[in-house]
Amino acid sequence: NKKLKDVEISVPIVYGTISFWLGKKASEYHSHKWTVYVRSATNEDLGAVVKRAVFQLHPSFNNPTRVVESPPFELSESGWGEFEIAISLFFHGDVCDKQLDLYHHLKLYPEEESGPQSTKKPVVVESYDEIVFSEPSEGFFARVQNH
Ligand code: SLL
């Protein structure tokens, strides 16, 4: 698989969490439902680049290492507390051998300025990033160009 010198592929992504307070249905250990996700920032199929996402949750969860093998690269859970989620992205063989580790702080509780907690107003925290691959293989380049 030949490498293309002087070529760079930049893959824009967004990753983050959306959290809903369960209101009347909230219990002590399950007060919120939340989803952590990684997706293309430009509506491309991230599955052309990413083979697998591994979400490392707080050890208070059952089976805290969660593996997602195909898009959408996201995971939903319920819980009661905020913590840092480690997100490892693994790429297809012709893309990159190294994994990329991202870190995201799960936020459940709104800031005081945005008013009281409501089941209708989810708390969203999202980050933007660009994954840059230099000297991509021809196969990878062919797969993602013209998209
Ligand atoms: C805290 N450092 O003390 C944080 C830890 C952990 C949250 C928060 C588990 C839910 C379940 C859960 O929400 N853990 O047991 O299914 O605030």
Side-chain angles (χ1 to χ4, degrees):
N1 219 336
K2 229 180 90 189
K3 282 186 179 301
L4 297 167
K5 304 264 168 207
D6 305 317
V7 178
E8 236 173 44
I9 295 177
S10 170
V11 177
I13 59 165
V14 290
Y15 60 96
T17 47
I18 178 166
S19 158
F20 290 85
W21 179 49
L22 291 173
K24 285 196 190 103
K25 293 185 203 134
S27 61
E28 193 179 356
Y29 293 106
H30 299 281
S31 56
H32 293 74
K33 280 207 73 165
W34 52 261
T35 299
V36 56
Y37 55 86
V38 185
R39 56 179 174 76
S40 160
T42 49
N43 265 315
E44 315 283 344
D45 173 22
L46 202 56
V49 180
V50 174
K51 179 175 65 177
R52 173 190 318 127
V54 178
F55 299 96
Q56 187 64 48
L57 306 182
H58 188 267
S60 55
F61 283 85
N62 285 329
N63 308 315
T65 305
R66 305 292 175 88
V67 181
V68 179
E69 300 278 2
S70 58
F73 296 108
E74 60 179 48
L75 175 87
S76 296
E77 257 298 352
S78 64
W80 55 269
E82 303 183 343
F83 59 95
E84 183 168 75
I85 304 175
I87 308 169
S88 300
L89 299 181
F90 295 84
F91 304 103
H92 289 292
D94 62 353
V95 173
C96 180
D97 295 330
K98 268 191 323 192
Q99 75 192 63
L100 175 65
D101 297 321
L102 305 168
Y103 298 90
H104 176 81
H105 196 85
L106 168 64
K107 188 170 164 65
L108 304 182
Y109 298 95
E111 298 296 315
E112 224 164 289
E113 305 88 85
S114 49
Q117 197 163 229
S118 150
T119 55
K120 291 180 188 114
K121 280 191 298 182
V123 174
V124 179
V125 179
E126 197 171 84
S127 303
Y128 175 88
D129 212 336
E130 283 170 23
I131 315 175
V132 177
F133 300 97
S134 43
E135 302 192 356
S137 71
E138 282 184 329
F140 173 35
F141 185 70
R143 201 159 68 244
V144 297
Q145 71 179 340
N146 309 321
H147 280 273

